[in-house]
Structure formats: C-alpha cells, structure tokens
Amino acid sequence: MEELVPKYDLFIQKHLFPIEKEIIYGSFKSNLPRLQALREIAKKEGLFAPHLSLHEGGLGLELMEFARISEVLGKSPLGHYIFNCQAPDIGNMELLHQFANEMLKEKYLVPLQRGDIRSCFAMTEPNNAGSNPVHLSTRATLEGNEYVINGHKWFTSSADGANFTIVMAITDPDNPNPYQRASMLLVPLDNPGYQLVRNIPIMGDIGDDYMSHGEVTFTNCRVPSSYLIGKEGQGFALAQERLGPGRIHHCMRWIGICERALDLMCRRALDRELDPGKPLSSQQTIQNWIAESAADIKASRLLVLETAYQIQHFGAKSAKEDISTIKFFVSGVMMKIIDRAIQVHGALGITDDTVLSFWYRHERGAKIYDGPDEVHKSVLARRILKSYSKP
C-alpha cells in the first residue's frame, strides 16, 4: 500500500496536470481518445480500477486503502476517471456487484468494470425536493414481464455518452412505509422511451460527455422485469448501501482537491510580490490561511478515515452519524480552502487559467447533493440531543 500512493501521485503529476486545463475547459468528448490512451497506460502500470477485486481486474484494496488512493486522485479533475473509479460509475459497480442478477452482471457490470462503457444514476427530480427523496414522481408499473417507466429526472450526472442508467422509481405507491415504495431498475439508454433533454449549465458551464449533468425523461420506457436490481421496494435500502462507501470516496476526493488548492495557494504566495523582495507569503493573513487550511485538511482526513474504518469493520448503519458528519464538514472545508486559494491568486483566481475556477463552479454542489449540509447537521444534532433525553 505504501508503494502505491507515490505511484499514483507520480502518474497524475506526469500525465494529468499538463493536460487537465485543456480538457476541463474544452470538450471532454473530443479528448476521449487521449483519455483512453492514458487509461491504457494506467492498466499497463497496474494502477487501473484500484477498488475492484483482483479477479475483477483491480487491485483488491479495502475501503480504507482505497480512501487514501482517492485522496491522491482528487488532486486532478481527471484523476478518478482515468483509473475508472469515478462517480457515478463506482457506485453503480457496487450496486450491480451486490444486487444484480447474473445476466445484468455479464451484460453491464463486466464492461463497466473494464472501462468499456459508462453509466449514470437517475434519482433527483426537478419537481420534488431532493432533501426529502421519498417524494418521487417517477413511476415504474409492472405490465406482464415488463416495467413501464414514466418520469422526469435531472442532475443525472454523466448521462451524456453513458450506456445505461440506474433509475429510482416508485413501484408500490400505496405502501404505508414510504421507504418501501421505490425500486431500482437498469435502463439501457438506447431505449426509445428515454431522452436526454439537455446538459444542464452549471454556473455557465454546460460540459459534455462524462463532465456533464443531464436532464432526462422516461416516456413509456419499457424494460424487462429481469432488469430490476434487488427486489421491489428495496430502492432506498440499496441507495443507503451505495451511499456509505460513496461518501468516503467523495470526501477523500474533496481532501485531494483541498491539497491541490493549498499547494497552488502556497506557490502563488511565494511567487507574487507586493513590492520587490516582499512576497504575498510575508503577510500574516496569508500565513494564517495557509496554517488553517493545513490543519483543516489533516482534521478532515482523520475524520474520514475513522468513518471508513467504522464502515469497513462494522457496516454503514453503525456509522450513520459519522457519515453525515464528514459530508458537511469536509464539503465546508473544501469550499473554504478553494475560496482562500482564489483570493490569494487575486484576479487570476477567477479566470480559467488555473483549475480553481473549475472546482469553484462544480464543487459548490457538494454542499447540496447527497442531501443538503443542513439535513446532515440536523441528523447529527438530533443524535446528540437524544443522548440528553430524560430516562
């Protein structure tokens, strides 16, 4: 494990840092041949798909081990994609591995693991609050041996160019338990009932292919009943299974972003002079930002690794409050450090001449998706207050 971290770090510095701005501020789709070539290099160097088991073509890393790799890969916006451990594909791999039938695994999971295809995940809806996901309008009705899906989703990340989606839809609207009304279904995206309406502009950036967020519709979209993942009514339970490890992946990626932002901040502070011989780094405010950022990063890393340990050894359910904690804590740290780095760069920081503006646009959503930070804070606060309840 100790040998892997510097190998990944060297790879991203050598291959990704020099090209990342051209790709993230240009067309991702037009650069696919270039990116595929880098994936082949990653395979040859034995670094591809670190999260998968050895017999699936990966490195067989456990959650805590992969968390450390995820932090390194987070330093570049291309990191996770090159090694085929990017969201939403990594979460879909976990879902299919654990809950799909053998036919779905052979047809969709295996090529997804190889990096031959991509996928997306359709849950969020424009007409319902994502902060309370039990309210879904998308319906999947069983007719004979087929489900007929009708609904409207958005922020179906990376739908553009994907091969299939996993869609959350209501299959039992009359169930008294709202958490047992929904199911997950795999939908191939060549289905005539599916439509990618648009790639949603994110603070002016529409994006394409993997780096996009799709608005999609399902209109009398028919799939065989065998395309059900798990059992009917298990949608929310499966979402929770996907969420625990996924939160670790995201948070460690955010820490990688923080490290890169801090590095850029320090380099700019040393290089930029206010007067001859007087660099920005001589200013106490800048020094405070650097020290506070370094401490925030270390605290975040320890918090996330502790949560990963709890999930790995005791399961996601036992770490429920910790999973909520790392979500709002690390997303807050990330946005604070990115903002400091932009401020240190001055006007340069708000241009596309560094990666900072990309992260400022696209990572602001970290405080919203997977449940708003305020919801996760409420979960933790209620748990703390409950411990004060009178017997």
Side-chain angles (χ1 to χ4, degrees):
M1 181 63 204
E2 296 305 321
E3 296 177 356
L4 282 176
V5 172
K7 286 183 179 179
Y8 280 102
D9 197 47
L10 178 62
F11 189 104
I12 66 169
Q13 289 190 49
K14 180 181 178 181
H15 296 293
L16 304 190
F17 286 179
I19 66 170
E20 60 188 6
K21 284 189 292 181
E22 180 183 345
I23 295 175
I24 64 175
Y25 295 129
S27 169
F28 194 91
K29 188 172 295 184
S30 66
N31 280 283
L32 285 175
R34 195 177 188 181
L35 295 166
Q36 186 57 40
L38 288 173
R39 282 184 157 196
E40 293 304 318
I41 295 173
K43 290 178 181 179
K44 290 177 181 177
E45 294 187 7
L47 301 174
F48 196 70
H51 61 295
L52 296 180
S53 64
L54 294 173
H55 79 270
E56 290 171 320
L59 275 66
L61 301 185
E62 294 185 331
L63 182 60
M64 288 188 67
E65 294 173 323
F66 176 64
R68 294 182 59 195
I69 300 301
S70 190
E71 177 182 349
V72 177
L73 302 186
K75 294 178 183 180
S76 171
L78 304 176
H80 287 79
Y81 177 86
I82 292 299
F83 297 95
N84 200 34
C85 52
Q86 72 281 0
D89 294 298
I90 188 171
N92 287 347
M93 289 183 209
E94 291 168 357
L95 276 177
L96 293 176
H97 176 78
Q98 293 185 68
F99 303 107
N101 58 50
E102 292 304 315
M103 180 274 295
L104 290 179
K105 288 181 180 179
E106 183 64 26
K107 191 171 183 179
Y108 295 102
L109 175 59
V110 172
L112 188 64
Q113 291 173 330
R114 289 197 303 252
D116 296 338
I117 61 174
R118 283 198 300 98
S119 64
C120 53
F121 186 75
M123 181 170 178
T124 306
E125 298 179 347
N127 297 323
N128 294 295
S131 56
N132 190 3
V134 296
H135 299 295
L136 295 174
S137 299
T138 301
R139 296 288 188 268
T141 305
L142 188 60
E143 295 183 4
N145 62 352
E146 288 185 321
Y147 282 99
V148 182
I149 306 170
N150 284 281
H152 185 187
K153 302 284 189 179
W154 73 339
F155 286 90
T156 302
S157 299
S158 309
D160 185 9
N163 179 273
F164 70 88
T165 187
I166 294 177
V167 59
M168 179 86 99
I170 299 295
T171 50
D172 186 6
D174 299 322
N175 194 306
N177 185 341
Y179 292 99
Q180 293 179 1
R181 293 173 185 165
S183 303
M184 287 190 183
L185 292 153
L186 189 149
V187 179
L189 297 191
D190 60 359
N191 191 301
Y194 166 84
Q195 181 185 5
L196 172 60
V197 177
R198 61 169 177 152
N199 288 336
I200 304 165
I202 305 299
M203 297 189 183
D205 185 4
I206 296 176
D208 67 351
D209 202 78
Y210 171 67
M211 285 191 174
S212 65
H213 300 276
E215 180 176 356
V216 304
T217 58
F218 302 86
T219 306
N220 295 323
C221 185
R222 292 179 174 270
V223 295
S225 57
S226 58
Y227 279 51
L228 177 71
I229 298 174
K231 298 178 181 179
E232 267 205 7
Q234 284 189 325
F236 284 104
L238 300 190
Q240 288 301 313
E241 289 288 335
R242 189 180 190 272
L243 186 63
R247 187 64 50 68
I248 299 298
H249 305 160
H250 272 307
C251 285
M252 293 305 287
R253 179 177 64 83
W254 296 341
I255 293 169
I257 291 172
C258 291
E259 287 193 279
R260 180 81 181 281
L262 175 58
D263 177 69
L264 292 171
M265 189 194 314
C266 291
R267 293 177 186 275
R268 178 67 170 179
L270 290 167
D271 292 343
R272 189 67 161 179
E273 291 188 338
L274 300 170
D275 289 306
K278 187 180 181 181
L280 273 174
S281 59
S282 65
Q283 301 301 295
Q284 189 174 32
T285 295
I286 305 296
Q287 294 170 0
N288 286 343
W289 287 348
I290 290 170
E292 290 166 5
S293 297
D296 285 341
I297 289 170
K298 182 171 286 189
S300 296
R301 183 186 300 111
L302 292 173
L303 191 59
V304 178
L305 289 176
E306 167 64 19
T307 304
Y309 178 89
Q310 294 292 329
I311 294 173
Q312 183 175 310
H313 292 279
F314 305 107
K317 189 174 181 180
S318 69
K320 181 181 177 182
E321 285 78 26
D322 289 334
I323 291 170
S324 285
T325 302
I326 62 173
K327 197 278 181 180
F328 73 76
F329 183 82
V330 183
S331 65
V333 165
M334 175 179 60
M335 291 311 301
K336 184 165 54 178
I337 292 176
I338 293 173
D339 191 68
R340 287 170 180 160
I342 289 174
Q343 195 73 7
V344 170
H345 280 73
L348 175 63
I350 59 173
T351 71
D352 290 351
D353 290 350
T354 77
V355 295
L356 294 172
S357 68
F358 174 85
W359 277 326
Y360 195 81
R361 280 196 292 266
H362 291 279
E363 299 301 340
R364 176 59 181 83
K367 297 173 69 64
I368 299 171
Y369 56 65
D370 285 351
D373 283 4
E374 292 75 15
V375 171
H376 292 286
K377 290 176 183 179
S378 292
V379 169
L380 179 60
R382 288 197 299 268
R383 180 71 180 86
I384 293 171
L385 291 169
K386 189 176 181 180
S387 68
Y388 286 85
S389 298
K390 295 180 181 180

